Amino acid sequence: MTEMREMANQSTPTEFLLMGFAETRDMQILHSVIFLFIYLTALVGNSLIITAVALDHHLHSPMYFFLSNLSLFDVCSISTTVPKSIVISLTNNNMISFAGCVTQVFLVVTFVGGELALLTVMAYDRYVAICRPLQYTLVMNRHACIQLAATCWIGSLIHAVLETSFTFILNFCGTNMIGQYFCDIPQLQKISCSDTKVNQILILVFGFIPDAFFFTFIFTSYGYIFSAVLRIPSVQGRYKAFSTCTPHLTVFSLFITTGVFSYMRPKALSSPTVDLVAAVLYTVLPPVLNPIIYSLRNKDIQLAVWKIPRKLKHLFA
């Protein structure tokens, strides 16, 4: 009976240890300052887009509605990992509770999966706008947009419940040191003392099926979009049509490139340092760059952002 109790206690750790970015105090402070700057940049940039879309009636269109949801996903995603890493560097305490680790895995999967689903919806929006312009207002009406956005959120929550459940049915009775700066599913599988083959297959299947659908849908949509754009007679018309897709294509390419490098690179390129850098690129870079990419050449967004102080003043007057 005593042995069984000891095994149960071993299989359910009360805490995990996350990997830090530095060991010396000066480097820890430098890391916390850099991450704080990056976090505030992402927070301000995405919050400005959300506020601008909400306050400016000129931006009350499907494209900007989905963009504000993408910014919300980005804010939530980076808020799940970076603040904890800053606290770890400042306090020199790498501990995260078991419940905190479960929550972090659930939230990371929710927001990353939701972002990919939303990028798919945004590709569909561009397809309808360019390939079926006469039906655009009918197809992408307010009710349809709300349903599509809600599907992304609800679907990502369901997917996260499954992935998190499959991960934490494993036993953890050996080391509790996670080789990453946040609770990451592959790293948790590495330190589990259970046989993870079935677990890996389940996670792969439930992750691969929706991801394969999203990728196929996006690539197919852009196949039709490019075909339609090339048939536009005027150069100016082709440029105008394609320019509405450029930000989405850039954001999607950034998301895919960092994701593939983080999780699908060859084992020869894998090491603790490379894994750490890859995870930073995957979890930090898109939330920081997405608002910059969408506002860089979009005069409507730029104008709406400059109007925010006046709009807020008028709103609270």
Side-chain angles (χ1 to χ4, degrees), residues 42 45-47 49-50 66-76 118 290-291:
N46 286 289
S47 297
I49 286 183
I50 294 170
F66 294 132
L67 176 58
S68 64
N69 274 270
L70 181 68
S71 292
L72 184 57
F73 272 121
D74 283 335
V75 168
C76 295
L118 193 63
N290 285 357

Side-chain angles (χ1 to χ4, degrees), residues 70-143:
L70 181 68
S71 292
L72 184 57
F73 272 121
D74 283 335
V75 168
C76 295
S77 176
I78 198 169
S79 297
T80 304
T81 56
V82 170
K84 177 63 178 177
S85 181
I86 294 173
V87 171
I88 286 173
S89 290
L90 291 176
T91 61
N92 200 24
N93 182 1
N94 292 27
M95 186 196 76
I96 183 171
S97 66
F98 184 85
C101 192
V102 173
T103 303
Q104 198 172 59
V105 167
F106 173 76
L107 292 178
V108 167
V109 176
T110 295
F111 300 132
V112 171
E115 184 165 344
L116 180 56
L118 193 63
L119 287 171
T120 306
V121 170
M122 294 172 79
Y124 176 68
D125 172 68
R126 292 299 83 206
Y127 161 76
V128 177
I130 293 174
C131 299
R132 300 168 61 186
L134 298 179
Q135 297 176 303
Y136 183 72
T137 54
L138 181 64
V139 175
M140 301 302 295
N141 57 67
R142 179 183 176 84
H143 184 64

